Amino acid sequence: MALTISLLLGLALFLMLRAHILGWGAAAVAAGFGFFLASTGAAEPINQLTTALINAIPDL
């Protein structure tokens, strides 16, 4: 699932760049932030929260 979410977020960044909503510098900062955040202790709670939200969507 992490690969799918990463792919979707990467696609969102790409589309924002193409639509000129986001500049190259901001995209590099966003990608770098995500890369370094994944190597911290915050990665596991973020993954758990994301999983819980995705699992809750069908129950709405």
Side-chain angles (χ1 to χ4, degrees), residues 15-40:
L15 291 174
M16 291 171 80
L17 281 170
R18 297 255 315 157
H20 300 289
I21 296 171
L22 186 69
W24 284 101
V29 169
F33 177 72
F35 178 77
F36 288 111
L37 183 64
S39 65
T40 66

Side-chain angles (χ1 to χ4, degrees), residues 1-56:
M1 180 172 66
L3 179 63
T4 305
I5 293 171
S6 297
L7 182 62
L8 289 175
L9 291 174
L11 181 61
L13 276 175
F14 174 76
L15 291 174
M16 291 171 80
L17 281 170
R18 297 255 315 157
H20 300 289
I21 296 171
L22 186 69
W24 284 101
V29 169
F33 177 72
F35 178 77
F36 288 111
L37 183 64
S39 65
T40 66
E44 186 60 30
I46 291 170
N47 286 337
Q48 291 173 350
L49 177 64
T50 305
T51 301
L53 289 173
I54 290 173
N55 289 336

